[in-house]
Amino acid sequence: MNEAKKTIPPFTRTLFVFLLNVIAHPNASPAPVVIWHGMGDCCCNPFSMGHIKKLIEENIQGIYVLSLEIGNSIVEDTINGFLMNVNDQVKMVCETLANDTKFQQGYNAIGFSQGGQFMRAVAQRCPKPPMLNLVSVGGQHQGVYGFPGCVGKQNIVCNMARRMMTIIAYTNFIQNHIVQAQYWHDPLNETVYRRANVFLADINQENEKNPSYKANMLKLKNFVMVKFLRDSMVEPMESEWFGFYKAGQAKDIHTLFETPMYTEDWLGLKEMNNTGRLHFLSLDTDHLKFSESWFISNIIDQFLM
Ligand SMILES: *[C@@H]1O[C@H](CO)[C@@H](O)[C@H](O)[C@H]1NC(C)=O
Ligand SMILES: *[C@@H]1O[C@H](CO)[C@@H](O)[C@H](O)[C@H]1NC(C)=O
Ligand SMILES: *[C@@H]1O[C@H](CO)[C@@H](O)[C@H](O)[C@H]1NC(C)=O
């Protein structure tokens, strides 16, 4: 028996295993996955995005995972998470995906923290190649009005800091160079936010409505938003589910369902919810803190298989 086994040429054996796999899984090749990292992070840190990439690869046989690098090196990638026009970054990512034949049949996308709203911009602006499922992990879909460490605190220093941030955030120069200013959302004066913000106000259809943004969102199979209930980085944390401060103050919050964005369905979110394609997940932890087993059973098994 052993003799016989040894005489099968390696190529034939490989072909045989391959054919068996094709028979067992007729649509064998799994949709590739694209990951966009958060602020202060980069594509390839073995403890964050590198780990996520490996986790997906270990759980889905033969999958191709691209962790986006914005720039030509890890240092550039990290710096560009702070200092770059987000619209240019989104354009660059759209080109990267369009240039790579592996994505032509469609791909799944996961954005972590600010990568969540940036990936949504890719879905809205670049329908080719098609994004299948969009997962936002701790993304700030209505922006932020606050600083890490000030979350939930209504004290003088924190309130002063955000008022001062507004004064600089909406200047032209800062809007075009500082990433976080491009999703700074001051609820005390929505008019100024709508007029001056170069990124978030556009993808959220705050000014003129771009019908293709809605049409493209509706091409998604699912849009999944993960919110961290003990988030100490994102203020208000409700932004992770599209909630935000009601206009004119910075205390009371409304949910997505109470906003005209939803009731008038500027982005297709109402239609998605009504067809069971909008998913709200939560974790009782701090920003981006989740276990491997949570990620496997709630994200990989549900949306990437
Ligand atoms: C995509 O391909 C075009 C044409 O070959 C090239 O000019 C461009 O630099 C590429 N973009 C990226 C981001 O790879
Ligand atoms: C918002 O700011 C604009 C421009 O500075 C100003 O004209 C308007 O009165 C402000 N609105 C409120 C509600 O403060
Ligand atoms: C959104 O969908 C969920 C689940 O199908 C449903 O329970 C909920 O009522 C919907 N929300 C609104 C505002 O329609």
Side-chain angles (χ1 to χ4, degrees):
M1 282 305 279
N2 260 343
E3 283 295 294
K5 217 171 178 181
K6 268 193 195 133
T7 58
I8 302 173
F11 173 74
T12 311
R13 210 179 314 142
T14 309
L15 185 67
F16 184 67
V17 169
F18 172 77
L19 288 176
L20 267 187
N21 260 315
V22 170
I23 293 162
H25 315 275
N27 304 313
S29 90
V33 172
V34 179
I35 298 172
W36 197 328
H37 63 76
M39 174 177 94
D41 202 355
C42 63
C43 61
C44 309
N45 183 334
F47 298 102
S48 66
M49 294 304 111
H51 181 69
I52 295 289
K53 176 171 150 73
K54 213 169 126 222
L55 193 60
I56 297 170
E57 287 164 350
E58 282 169 359
N59 282 275
I60 307 177
Q61 223 195 349
I63 197 166
Y64 174 64
V65 183
L66 174 69
S67 181
L68 290 167
E69 184 180 54
I70 313 295
N72 294 315
S73 67
I74 287 181
V75 174
E76 246 186 76
D77 184 23
T78 310
I79 292 174
N80 285 338
F82 295 97
L83 305 177
M84 195 177 162
N85 183 307
V86 177
N87 295 319
D88 294 340
Q89 299 197 23
V90 169
K91 215 167 139 198
M92 209 159 106
V93 167
C94 289
E95 262 185 42
T96 303
L97 301 182
N99 280 2
D100 190 334
T101 54
K102 293 187 208 69
F103 299 117
Q104 301 320 302
Q105 302 303 313
Y107 65 94
N108 292 314
I110 312 176
F112 290 88
S113 200
Q114 67 185 16
Q117 60 267 33
F118 300 169
M119 212 51 127
R120 176 162 63 83
V122 173
Q124 292 177 212
R125 291 176 182 169
C126 309
K128 268 189 208 163
M131 190 186 285
L132 306 172
N133 293 290
L134 169 60
V135 180
S136 156
V137 185
Q140 300 100 41
H141 294 283
Q142 276 295 359
V144 296
Y145 184 59
F147 295 97
C150 276
V151 173
K153 296 184 185 144
Q154 290 284 340
N155 67 38
I156 291 176
V157 177
C158 289
N159 279 334
M160 281 267 287
R162 37 190 203 183
R163 277 171 195 245
M164 286 176 61
M165 178 65 183
T166 289
I167 295 169
I168 53 167
Y170 293 139
T171 61
N172 237 327
F173 178 83
I174 299 292
Q175 277 294 310
N176 283 302
H177 293 89
I178 304 293
V179 168
Q180 288 68 38
Q182 298 167 57
Y183 56 87
W184 185 258
H185 184 168
D186 185 344
L188 302 182
N189 194 324
E190 293 280 344
T191 313
V192 171
Y193 157 71
R194 278 187 199 123
R195 230 183 270 147
N197 185 290
V198 299
F199 171 70
L200 193 69
D202 175 70
I203 62 163
N204 285 357
Q205 309 264 53
E206 295 286 358
N207 296 303
E208 68 278 18
K209 312 285 177 272
N210 181 340
S212 65
Y213 282 2
K214 177 175 174 177
N216 290 339
M217 278 302 279
L218 285 169
K219 289 179 183 154
L220 291 171
K221 288 186 182 168
N222 294 285
F223 176 23
V224 185
M225 286 178 274
V226 182
K227 172 173 153 188
F228 296 88
L229 303 178
R230 293 175 191 268
D231 205 309
S232 65
M233 300 284 288
V234 174
E235 179 156 43
M237 62 184 79
E238 286 78 4
S239 185
E240 295 172 11
W241 280 1
F242 260 105
F244 204 66
Y245 296 116
K246 294 178 184 169
Q249 49 88 58
K251 236 177 128 186
D252 293 336
I253 304 260
H254 54 198
T255 67
L256 168 65
F257 300 128
E258 299 167 279
T259 59
M261 171 192 280
Y262 187 84
T263 55
E264 296 167 16
D265 211 13
W266 301 345
L267 269 183
L269 299 177
K270 184 175 178 178
E271 193 171 331
M272 289 186 92
N273 194 64
N274 290 343
T275 47
R277 294 184 289 152
L278 200 57
H279 304 267
F280 298 91
L281 308 187
S282 65
L283 271 158
D284 197 20
T285 54
D286 197 355
H287 197 57
L288 303 189
K289 296 279 182 284
F290 53 84
S291 66
E292 277 190 8
S293 63
W294 180 88
F295 192 78
I296 292 169
S297 53
N298 291 281
I299 305 298
I300 296 182
D301 289 353
Q302 304 294 326
F303 300 105
L304 306 185
M305 286 296 191

